[in-house]
Structure formats: structure tokens, C-alpha cells
Amino acid sequence: MKKIFAFSVILGLLFTFVFADTSSFGIYPDKVVIGTFQALSGPYAIIGQGMLKGMKAYFNWINDQGGINGRKIDLLVYDDQLNPALTVTDVKRMVEQDHVFAVVGGLGTPGCLAVMNYLNDNKVPFVYQGSGAPQLSNPPKEFVFPVQPNYDLEGHLIARFLVQNEHKSKIAVMYMNNDIGQQELDGIQKQLADFNMKPYITIAYNPSSADFSSDIIKLMSANPDSLVIAGLITDTIRIVTQIKQYGMNIPIVTIYPNADPAFIKLGGKAVEGVILTGWVPIPTKDNPDFTAKFEQYMKIYQKSYPNEIPSSYAAAGFIAAEVFCHALELAGPDPTRISLVNALDTFDNWNGILAQGITFTPTDREGKTSMYFMKIENGTFVPISGWITLK
Amino acid sequence: MIFQQIIAGIITGALYAIVALGLVIAYKVTGVMNFAYGYMGMISAYIFFTCFSVIGMNYIFAFLISVAFGAFVSYAVERGLLRPVRNISPASMVIITLGLLLLLEGIALQVWGNNYQQIPNLLNGLPLILKFSGGIIVIPQQNLLILGLVTGVIIALILYLNLTFQGKAMRAVAQNEEVSKLMGINSSLMMSISWIISGAIGSLAAVLVAPQTFVYPDMMLSLQIMGFTAAVLGGFESIPGSIIGGISIGVIENLVGTYISTNLKTTFSLAIIVAILLIKPEGLLGSAKARRV
């Protein structure tokens, strides 16, 4: 009898587990529990801490107004140090133990790619990734919503800008020997092939290096007319600084993860004249509508972090929070994971406060496909082009 | 291009050599492998950053303060943490240096935070350009400064160890502590001096490399690993060996990076070194020790 009872209990638990309605996990009468993974310690903490601040600032602002449809946002944060091994265990814990409704704003290409299929298979919405890996959007996945432009697209746009706008023909590419660098290089090569060109010289480098002398000497020997550096903030500044030390003076273009005030602060005079791509607009006199929105962003941010100037990583976190909250609102008073997905798929060139021009459809998950170019002049970013897109 | 790569490799290697030198001098006299060496230098780089960029001191003055601070920290570590356990458990001393590494990293994070900090180059002018029939060599001014300072320190150290009484006494302690004591040498003082010199050299290396790496808690990790490698390659107890080891690694790295693959430059260079050590396990200038079996 005892055995039959125990068997029945186990069977009952199994049925409960297998057939539990997970679509509204994380939805409580007074709150919505969501999760994120960020590098809050380790070498990439500068990015993760900034991104988390941006998310928290927006969620605090929403919660102060009573939340979304009467539910406050409860954000669980895991520090994965941008280590994909930690990301996998953290995300599994979020989904299987914490029962989060969605994962919002995870940081880092390796970690995002490591958990992308797991989240999609478990039907957990994964909204905004701090990554431009093309695998996130191509092929489209039902529960994965990338927002940032992907690196392949960026490579195309940079190559097109250098050839068509700057009339360069000897384009050198220095790229990190990892997914980001390779995807940027792929985009550049494909776009140059459309012009019947190819990179003049390509140099892969190890992003943890501090000494780039051998790479720069190779570059000097090749004598290109322009250089694209597909690297992150510290290595890009090291390369630019060392190039200047060697007395080399060529136009340098680098990628949007570097479009942050820290790039100018760390790089100092060496980064003057460097051209960068951007996807978050900059407030300018000729764009008063966005300037007003930017002022609102600053007020919201500084309500949580008084007197602090937000980094571009904070802006990314803010946009992640904006996209999620808007979709949650559209999902109605009794949201489910499916209704959130359906709501996101209605975004059509949607503008929030900082979020601009975000589009999703079930067959197109490249949230943001337009970018612009800016140049560092007298220690500030100055836009030098309008919005550019491949479409 | 090959001359240019060799020159650049020598400059990188000079930094490896000076770190190896600092490790070897402390090891020879006290027998302790200091795993916290790079992190002690990192603290000095933060001191330099604080003095120069935060307080606004003169560059040279800030430089001297940070090197003196590094020497003092090294002295304090040897006297306060290592000496008490020296005769109880030599293995504990190595564990203490590993613990110190974590402690210093934690202190840096707490005091200065996680953000990268910038230290400018002392020399920023146009590079030195040498044209000759075989090509052209370009050397940035800061690299010339590094090369000059490192060469100066190496020469001064060799002269000190070979021509002064104190230097000879230090070598005597390194060779046989018990006999040197019987000869009237204050071995305790010699140990302290070796760590003071080692700490000052580590700080010098950290401040010289900081404009390139930026200042952050792990800034010296790579340099420390390459310094250890250079010391092993040279024969861990040989001062000229550590210099030759460091410069060899710098040059090999650059040549591998140019003619084989940039991605593989560290891996391939270390593989070459493993091969050399398989043929000559005592290192390039180390002496094979005869053992009774």
C-alpha cells in the first residue's frame, strides 16, 4: 500500500512538472520576476555594471509609477563575469528554480549564444542581448529578440562608408581573434566583394595582448589608406595609441561597442579623429525631439544615480528595459510568455525614450538595422552621417 | 621588416627580462618564488596613478614615490609575512605569496575600483626613424625610454652585485647561507635588501608598462607569466640567464607573430621554449646540479 502511495505521489509530481503551465511563470499579482546575467566582476565589469545601472534606472522609474498593469518589475541579477560556463548555470537556475518570466538584457556574445537555444527550447522570452552576434537573429527564433545591430551588418556598413563616402581603396582590417572580430571581418569582406575589392591586409590579434608592435609594423609595411579596428575598448585604444607612437597617421574606424565616453577618457588625445559607428542617437541641435527625450533619459537615470553621467552601456541597459516594459504593457493585464512574444512582434519602427526604430516580425528578428557614423573631435562624439541601412 | 620586428621584440623582451630579474634576485637569496610579484607592482602603478593623475604631482616625483613604495611593500612582505615562517615551512612561504596575490587584487578593487585607469607616456614625441639600405626602423620614444631605463637598471644591478661588498655578500648568502653567516655576513639584512631591490624593479616594470596596458587589477598578469617563463628559460638562478631569456622570448614572439601567426605568437613561442627546456632542462645559462643517487 505504501509503495502504491509513494508511486502515486511521484507520478503526480512528475505530471505536475511536465504539464505545469509555464507560460505565466514569474507573473504574480503584484510583480513580474525577470532575470538578467551581467559581468559585474572580472575584466568586463565596466560594461556589465554600466548596463545593469541603465536597466535598474528604467525599472525603478517604472516601479515608482506603479509598475506595468499594476505589477512591479522584480529583476534578478546573476554575475557571470562574461564567462559562458557560468552563464549556462545561471540561466538554468533562473529558469528552473527562480521561474523567471523572461530573461532581459543578458551581456556578452559567448554567454548569449550559449543559452540562446536553451531559452528558445524552454519557451522563455530572451529580450535584448548585449551582443551583435548574427546567430541571435539569423535564423529567427520564436522566443529570442535581439535589438542591437549585428556585427556582420556593421561590417557591411563600415566597408560601404569607407569606399563610398571616404573614397578609400586600401582598407586594412585588424580584428579580434574571436566571434565578434570574425563576424565584423566577414561583413567587411562581403561588402568589399560587392565593390570587386577585398581588404588590403587583415591582421587577427589576441585581445588580451598589450603589445601590438609586430602587428603595427606589418601594417606600416603594407601602407594602407585606412584601417578598421574590430576590437573592444581597451585593445582598440592600445592599438590606436601604439599606431600614433609609431608615427602612423591614417583614418581609423572602429565598432559601436567602443562608442562610450570611457573610450575618449582612456584614449585621450590618441583617439582624436577616430571614426565610430553608433546605433543609439546623440542629442544634437538639429534634432530637438530626440534631445528632449535624451533629457528625459538623463532625468530618469539620475533619479537612481544622482549626478552620474551614464555610459553607453547604461544606455544599452536602459533600452533593454524599455523594450521589455513596452512589450509587457502591450501583452495586457494577464500576460503570458506567448502574449509577450506576440506583443514584441508588433513592434514596427517603434520609438521609446532612447530606443529608436525597433522592428520585429516573426520572420525578422533584427531589431535595429540602421546605424550612423561619428567622429571624435575635441574630446566629444560628433555625428558625421545620417542613419544608414542596408535595406 | 625583420630588423624592425627584432628591435620591437627586444623592447618587449626587455620588460620580460626586468620582471624575470626581480623574481630571480629574490629567489636566489631567500629561496622564495614570489607569485604575488606582478600584483605588488600593480599596486605601485596605482600609487603612481594616484600621485600623478589624482593628486597632480610631477611625473618624475610620482614615479620615484611609486618605486619607493614598491620597495617598501616588498621589504614589509619579506620581513612581516615570510620571515616568520621561513624556518618552519618553506612551502608555506609560496602559499603566502599566492594568498598575497588575492589580497592585493582585492585591495586594488576596493580602493580604486574596477575601471581601467590611464597613465600617459612620459615621452610622446615623434618616433626615432632610422633609414638604411635594408629598410627602415621606427622606434617610439617611450620604447626608447623603456629600453634605456631597463638597460640602466640591469647594468647597475650587475655592477652592484659584482663590485660592491654588499653585492658580493648577497651572492655569498645566495650560494650558502650558513657559511656566509660564519664569515660574518648579516644574512638577514641581505635577504631584506634582495626583496627591496626586487620590489623596486617590479614597480619600475609596472609603471613602465602601465601606459600600454592601462592600470587595473590584472594589468601585470601577462607580464608576470612571461617574466616567470623568461626566468625558467634563462635558468632560474642565473641573472644573465633571465636577461637573455626575457629578450629571447620577446624576439621569438614578434618573429612568430610576423612570419607564422599573430594568433599563435604566445602559444608557439612557449612551445619553442618547452622544446629548448627539453633539450637543456637547466635553462640556457643555468648550471646542472650533480646529485648523489
Side-chain angles (χ1 to χ4, degrees):
Chain A
M1 189 64 191
K2 276 182 184 173
K3 282 182 182 171
I4 294 171
F5 177 73
F7 181 73
S8 309
V9 169
I10 292 167
L11 205 64
L13 285 172
L14 274 174
F15 267 93
T16 310
F17 180 74
V18 173
F19 296 107
D21 177 17
T22 58
S23 67
S24 55
F25 268 6
I27 300 290
Y28 299 88
D30 58 340
K31 66 179 181 182
V32 179
V33 179
I34 58 171
T36 190
F37 54 91
Q38 299 290 334
L40 301 179
S41 57
Y44 298 100
I46 187 173
I47 303 175
Q49 288 177 357
M51 191 162 173
L52 183 62
K53 281 182 174 178
M55 289 174 77
K56 280 187 170 175
Y58 189 80
F59 289 141
N60 289 345
W61 181 66
I62 289 289
N63 288 344
D64 288 346
Q65 298 172 74
I68 305 282
N69 295 322
R71 293 185 182 89
K72 294 197 174 183
I73 308 295
D74 185 358
L75 178 66
L76 297 180
V77 184
Y78 282 86
D79 175 12
D80 70 344
Q81 300 174 15
L82 221 145
N83 174 352
L86 289 177
T87 316
V88 171
T89 53
D90 288 347
V91 167
K92 283 189 172 177
R93 195 175 301 163
M94 277 183 224
V95 172
E96 293 167 20
Q97 290 179 24
D98 302 328
H99 298 312
V100 296
F101 179 62
V103 174
V104 181
L107 173 65
T109 297
C112 288
L113 293 180
V115 299
M116 168 183 79
N117 289 330
Y118 168 80
L119 289 171
N120 196 54
D121 292 346
N122 284 277
K123 303 185 187 306
V124 179
F126 187 16
V127 182
Y128 192 111
Q129 297 81 39
S131 163
Q135 299 97 310
L136 291 164
S137 53
N138 189 20
K141 287 152 219 55
E142 187 180 3
F143 288 85
V144 181
F145 291 84
V147 174
Q148 292 183 190
N150 74 53
Y151 303 129
D152 183 79
L153 166 83
E154 185 178 34
H156 275 90
L157 294 178
I158 289 173
R160 185 192 274 192
F161 172 81
L162 282 172
V163 174
Q164 292 186 334
N165 294 40
E166 304 289 306
H167 310 293
K168 302 297 180 191
S169 56
K170 297 195 286 183
I171 299 166
V173 184
M174 281 185 75
Y175 64 100
M176 289 182 290
N177 185 26
N178 60 18
D179 283 349
I180 299 177
Q182 191 62 54
Q183 285 155 5
E184 293 279 356
L185 177 67
D186 288 348
I188 291 169
Q189 284 175 325
K190 281 186 259 176
Q191 184 61 58
L192 288 180
D194 287 351
F195 297 128
N196 289 321
M197 293 167 65
K198 58 182 185 178
Y200 198 58
I201 177 173
T202 58
I203 300 172
Y205 69 84
N206 176 355
S208 63
S209 285
D211 175 30
F212 295 98
S213 53
S214 64
D215 301 321
I216 292 166
I217 293 163
K218 267 192 207 171
L219 203 62
M220 288 168 74
S221 304
N223 196 25
D225 64 9
S226 52
L227 170 66
V228 181
I229 304 175
L232 295 181
I233 189 161
T234 47
D235 35 291
T236 303
I237 295 173
R238 283 178 190 137
I239 293 169
V240 174
T241 307
Q242 288 174 43
I243 281 174
K244 298 280 167 78
Q245 280 177 5
Y246 273 87
M248 205 176 173
N249 195 15
I250 53 169
I252 296 172
V253 181
T254 187
I255 58 178
Y256 70 79
N258 296 324
D260 183 85
F263 188 80
I264 296 174
K265 189 183 164 210
L266 267 179
K269 284 181 184 170
V271 298
E272 273 291 310
V274 170
I275 296 169
L276 303 99
T277 52
W279 66 277
V280 179
I282 292 177
T284 51
K285 283 178 187 170
D286 56 354
N287 190 356
D289 291 345
F290 182 73
T291 302
K293 285 186 171 184
F294 194 85
E295 282 167 5
Q296 187 188 4
Y297 158 62
M298 290 296 285
K299 274 184 195 165
I300 293 170
Y301 185 85
Q302 291 185 339
K303 199 174 174 197
S304 289
Y305 305 100
N307 303 320
E308 196 175 300
I309 303 295
S311 64
S312 62
Y313 311 122
F318 191 93
I319 292 171
E322 268 191 284
V323 169
F324 173 74
C325 286
H326 184 63
L328 187 64
E329 194 170 15
L330 294 177
D334 297 308
T336 63
R337 286 170 171 168
I338 291 291
S339 67
L340 186 85
V341 166
N342 292 337
L344 282 158
D345 277 333
T346 65
F347 278 42
D348 183 11
N349 211 21
W350 175 73
N351 293 332
I353 298 172
L354 269 193
Q356 301 285 304
I358 313 287
T359 301
F360 294 117
T361 71
T363 55
D364 186 354
R365 289 292 168 75
E366 293 186 12
K368 179 79 179 169
T369 53
S370 54
M371 304 180 83
Y372 65 97
F373 286 83
M374 58 187 139
K375 195 174 194 175
I376 299 174
E377 287 178 4
N378 301 318
T380 53
F381 293 113
V382 178
I384 55 169
S385 82
W387 290 102
I388 301 174
T389 181
L390 282 183
K391 291 179 181 174
Chain B
M1 188 161 69
I2 189 164
F3 294 114
Q4 175 77 68
Q5 292 291 3
I6 290 171
I7 296 284
I10 288 172
I11 292 159
T12 310
L15 281 168
Y16 298 159
I18 201 172
V19 170
L21 198 62
L23 284 163
V24 165
I25 200 162
Y27 177 76
K28 270 175 78 81
V29 180
T30 59
V32 183
M33 184 90 83
N34 183 5
F35 285 102
Y37 191 59
Y39 286 76
M40 288 159 68
M42 170 270 292
I43 294 288
S44 294
Y46 269 117
I47 294 294
F48 179 89
F49 164 75
T50 306
C51 291
F52 179 73
S53 301
V54 180
I55 300 172
M57 277 183 192
N58 172 279
Y59 198 103
I60 304 292
F61 198 49
F63 185 83
L64 294 175
I65 285 180
S66 61
V67 172
F69 180 84
F72 173 75
V73 168
S74 188
Y75 167 75
V77 166
E78 196 274 324
R79 286 306 297 243
L81 296 178
L82 302 176
R83 190 74 67 87
V85 297
R86 185 160 191 265
N87 294 319
I88 302 168
S89 162
S92 300
M93 294 197 291
V94 176
I95 303 298
I96 287 172
T97 65
L98 282 170
L100 186 65
L101 180 158
L102 297 173
L103 179 72
L104 293 173
E105 188 180 20
I107 289 172
L109 278 169
Q110 288 301 315
V111 177
W112 290 282
N114 241 330
N115 290 348
Y116 289 79
Q117 306 293 353
Q118 191 213 22
I119 288 180
N121 286 322
L122 181 59
L123 301 177
N124 270 321
L126 284 174
L128 176 74
I129 298 174
L130 303 170
K131 289 182 182 170
F132 57 100
S133 56
I136 183 169
I137 292 177
V138 183
I139 311 175
Q141 285 194 16
Q142 179 76 7
N143 288 5
L144 279 175
L145 175 77
I146 290 173
L147 196 59
L149 275 175
V150 171
T151 309
V153 167
I154 290 170
I155 291 171
L157 197 64
I158 290 172
L159 292 177
Y160 168 77
L161 289 173
N162 289 289
L163 299 181
T164 68
F165 175 76
Q166 212 174 53
K168 288 175 184 170
M170 199 179 289
R171 286 165 56 208
V173 174
Q175 275 193 351
N176 193 321
E177 189 186 341
E178 293 307 316
V179 174
S180 65
K181 275 183 187 170
L182 292 172
M183 302 293 285
I185 293 171
N186 184 347
S187 64
S188 168
L189 178 66
M190 292 306 117
M191 287 179 193
S192 294
I193 292 175
S194 71
W195 273 70
I196 288 171
I197 293 172
S198 172
I201 289 175
S203 303
L204 175 78
V207 176
L208 285 177
V209 82
Q212 218 172 63
T213 60
F214 307 119
V215 183
Y216 66 102
D218 288 331
M219 63 172 278
M220 289 290 283
L221 186 62
S222 158
L223 199 56
Q224 175 165 316
I225 291 170
M226 298 317 279
F228 268 115
T229 315
V232 171
L233 180 65
F236 214 93
E237 295 193 7
S238 164
I239 285 175
S242 60
I243 298 162
I244 293 171
I247 291 173
S248 305
I249 294 174
V251 172
I252 291 171
E253 261 194 351
N254 265 32
L255 293 178
V256 169
T258 308
Y259 297 106
I260 298 174
S261 161
T262 308
N263 300 337
L264 292 175
K265 76 174 188 180
T266 304
T267 315
F268 205 85
S269 310
L270 293 176
I272 290 173
I273 290 155
V274 169
I276 292 172
L277 290 176
L278 281 173
I279 298 163
K280 202 169 176 343
E282 64 277 11
L284 291 173
L285 295 189
S287 50
K289 285 180 182 167
R291 283 188 185 160
R292 185 174 293 171
V293 288

